[in-house]
Amino acid sequence: METFLIRLVQFFMSISLLVLLHEGGHVFFAKLFGVRVEKFFVFFDVKIGKWAGKLFAWKPKNSDTEYGMGWLPLGGYCKIAGMIDESMDTEQMKQPPQPWEFRTKPAWQRLLIMIGGVTVNFILALFIYSMIMFHWGNTYYRVADMSMGMEFNAQAKSMGFRDHDIMIGTDRGPFKEFMNVNGDFFRQIAKAKRVDVMRNGKKVSIKMPGDLDMLAMIKSYPIFAVPYIPATVDSVFAGSAAAKAGIKKGDRIVAVNGKEVATWSDFDYHKTVLGDELKAAKTSADSMKIRNVVLVVARQGKSATDTLHMTLAPDLTVGVAQTSLRNYYKPVTETYGFFESFPAGVKYGWNILRGYVSNFQYLFSSDGAKSLGGFGSIGSLFPPYWDWHDFWMMTAFLSIILAFMNILPIPALDGGHVLFLLYEMITRRKPSEKFMIYAEYAGITILLLLLIVANLNDILRWLGYM
């Protein structure tokens, strides 16, 4: 429960900040050009019956703008006078145009008002990344330094990879880090014609097709490649199934129910298989039988192995902390001075955006649609502990996603309005108000369907059907 609350607080802090600044970008340009902003809300104040839906609201003296917060955290909005938006205020549009309305302003001013939100989000993301580079630097594990190499799945092995191969690079350049937010490591392999590895002290080149499905590489289980991390216990949680069975720090798990285990990836795979069997169990006796497992462990400093019987928790929790990259390798940290941090942050942010745009193509595949996530998926991206570095990294990443998604040419999004404004600027003709109203309805419908699919996916994952 505590970890859920920590993630929830981080999620709301991050989303509230991003929505506030996004809508603030629209308001800034609107007020700059003398356009009246009637409402400026973080989250939507959807009315239910007689309840106005406002958590709080206030209107400063001599101001045309009501500021507040709604109860529905699906974004935010600013109601700009004389504009067809999500408020669907068609009555206002029937009145004679006023000089302080959006519709009476030149197209270039209306364009700046519409791109104000995404502009702020892009600048914010780059600024946050720059400050992260200045304060913490860029820390990562270099792929070529992973002396135990990688562990590969069946697909990778069929192409010529072998466990413990140390990844050097491809015909597209050397590898940098194993896996960052936008998956450069897998994208580089997917597009490569050749991958170079070190095997038993010798360089080996593996021929590649150059058109692998990156999404399939990551979504397969086991995934295409992971760092080879021995299944050595880093620590044991008091009162856990592992503690009761006698597992100790430094023990290495070598078998589960008679099946060989070499790495934590192997162990997690066997746990997943047990989880599938547990879902199919029909009686409590069947469930208990599945939860009773036999582990073979190699004790630290001893040549003999011990066989241990363990009853896993109902959710198959073992109760150990796994060793990770930090137990075996020293990370590389690139540090930057204040002025150096800005080009470094811009470069890092641009790389994140480029990777996200590249990954967007997978949305239109069946696997891509299944990968859509709603609020639960977004919230789970935050760590289950409080860490300012991770919080700001996620906030910057979400800011880029918010900007990119909003600039898509879908009616009801900023990008839809931009598309119609560009059409007007090129043809010198405005789309009719009737057309804009129908387009807004169509856009809202599309967004609602995407929202339903994304959150339904979260529910299905939580229930174990995806």
Side-chain angles (χ1 to χ4, degrees):
M1 185 63 180
E2 181 182 355
T3 59
F4 170 78
L5 290 175
I6 291 173
R7 281 184 163 135
L8 185 66
V9 170
Q10 291 181 86
F11 171 76
F12 273 102
M13 280 183 59
S14 180
I15 293 298
S16 298
L17 174 66
L18 297 180
V19 170
L20 178 69
L21 294 179
H22 176 92
E23 299 303 331
H26 294 305
V27 172
F28 171 80
F29 283 103
K31 290 185 177 290
L32 180 67
F33 299 130
V35 177
R36 184 173 295 175
V37 179
E38 298 176 355
K39 295 181 74 172
F40 178 20
F41 268 63
V42 175
F43 304 154
F44 295 118
D45 58 332
V46 178
K47 296 180 180 179
I48 300 178
K50 296 181 179 180
W51 184 48
K54 303 172 185 177
L55 295 181
F56 63 86
W58 82 97
K59 190 172 184 178
K61 188 177 180 180
N62 300 323
S63 174
D64 297 315
T65 308
E66 179 187 23
Y67 300 89
M69 175 177 279
W71 67 273
L72 189 61
L74 300 183
Y77 75 101
C78 53
K79 188 177 184 301
I80 298 175
M83 175 184 171
I84 298 172
D85 58 11
E86 58 267 34
S87 69
M88 303 307 293
D89 186 0
T90 56
E91 290 302 316
Q92 186 183 67
M93 303 304 291
K94 294 176 183 178
Q95 306 302 316
Q98 301 296 325
W100 36 262
E101 288 187 330
F102 178 83
R103 54 180 164 169
T104 62
K105 299 299 179 180
W108 68 271
Q109 291 186 5
R110 286 180 279 136
L111 180 64
L112 287 176
I113 292 171
M114 292 318 306
I115 66 173
V118 297
T119 301
V120 167
N121 281 131
F122 277 127
I123 294 174
L124 174 66
L126 298 180
F127 177 75
I128 292 175
Y129 281 131
S130 298
M131 292 300 95
I132 289 173
M133 296 298 169
F134 172 64
H135 190 272
W136 287 285
N138 185 22
T139 300
Y140 59 92
Y141 292 91
R142 189 182 288 117
V143 174
D145 291 344
M146 297 179 186
S147 56
M148 289 185 291
M150 294 279 175
E151 182 179 17
F152 301 91
N153 68 6
Q155 179 196 13
K157 289 179 179 177
S158 70
M159 295 177 177
F161 292 97
R162 298 291 178 266
D163 288 344
H164 296 293
D165 281 351
I166 301 172
M167 308 291 275
I168 301 174
T170 71
D171 54 304
R172 304 173 66 87
F175 291 115
K176 185 179 180 181
E177 56 184 305
F178 164 62
M179 195 173 187
N180 55 12
V181 176
N182 62 353
D184 282 344
F185 175 80
F186 291 106
R187 184 179 299 104
Q188 192 171 342
I189 295 175
K191 295 180 178 179
K193 295 288 186 180
R194 186 194 78 248
V195 175
D196 298 324
V197 304
M198 289 296 294
R199 183 181 297 166
N200 299 323
K202 297 181 180 179
K203 183 178 177 181
V204 176
S205 294
I206 300 170
K207 188 176 180 181
M208 302 291 289
D211 59 353
L212 291 177
D213 184 338
M214 190 187 90
L215 185 63
M217 293 169 66
I218 296 173
K219 284 184 66 67
S220 61
Y221 195 77
I223 66 174
F224 191 88
V226 294
Y228 195 99
I229 304 295
T232 302
V233 175
D234 185 55
S235 60
V236 181
F237 304 136
S240 66
K244 293 174 183 176
I247 291 180
K248 302 183 183 302
K249 175 182 172 65
D251 286 351
R252 182 168 52 86
I253 301 171
V254 297
V256 177
N257 289 343
K259 297 179 176 63
E260 185 179 350
V261 168
T263 65
W264 282 121
S265 180
D266 292 340
F267 182 80
D268 291 339
Y269 173 74
H270 290 308
K271 267 187 64 179
T272 300
V273 172
L274 290 176
D276 292 338
E277 293 176 357
L278 195 61
K279 290 173 188 172
K282 299 186 181 300
T283 67
S284 57
D286 291 337
S287 298
M288 186 56 69
K289 184 177 180 181
I290 294 167
R291 288 169 52 198
N292 288 327
V293 298
V294 179
L295 299 186
V296 178
V297 299
R299 301 293 190 179
Q300 189 176 26
K302 296 182 180 180
S303 57
T305 59
D306 289 341
T307 300
L308 305 176
H309 295 267
M310 178 188 302
T311 301
L312 301 180
D315 61 354
L316 300 184
T317 299
V318 179
V320 299
Q322 301 180 359
T323 50
S324 61
L325 289 173
R326 64 181 174 80
N327 294 93
Y328 301 99
Y329 307 116
K330 185 178 180 180
V332 174
T333 300
E334 298 171 349
T335 58
Y336 302 91
F338 181 74
F339 294 106
E340 294 173 319
S341 67
F342 287 98
V346 169
K347 181 180 178 182
Y348 189 92
W350 179 255
N351 187 48
I352 293 294
L353 175 62
R354 179 183 57 81
Y356 186 77
V357 173
S358 177
N359 295 346
F360 193 72
Q361 61 180 306
Y362 298 110
L363 177 64
F364 304 101
S365 65
S366 59
D367 283 341
K370 293 177 183 177
S371 298
L372 278 174
F375 301 119
S377 293
I378 296 173
S380 67
L381 293 175
F382 290 94
Y385 49 84
W386 196 271
D387 184 283
W388 281 111
H389 174 271
D390 291 352
F391 171 79
W392 288 117
M393 285 291 287
M394 275 309 309
T395 299
F397 179 60
L398 292 178
S399 191
I400 282 182
I401 292 177
L402 181 62
F404 176 73
M405 296 300 292
N406 261 284
I407 205 63
L408 292 176
I410 299 174
L413 291 179
D414 296 342
H417 293 284
V418 168
L419 179 66
F420 297 137
L421 279 167
L422 291 176
Y423 167 82
E424 178 186 340
M425 295 172 74
I426 294 170
T427 65
R428 305 290 181 179
R429 291 183 298 174
K430 277 187 178 183
S432 69
E433 289 183 5
K434 185 176 181 180
F435 170 80
M436 292 294 289
I437 290 170
Y438 283 130
E440 196 75 11
Y441 276 124
I444 291 173
T445 301
I446 292 170
L447 294 178
L448 285 175
L449 287 173
L450 286 173
L451 190 66
I452 291 169
V453 170
N455 285 284
L456 182 60
N457 284 350
D458 281 353
I459 294 170
L460 293 174
R461 290 189 195 99
W462 181 64
L463 294 174
Y465 291 106
M466 287 184 66

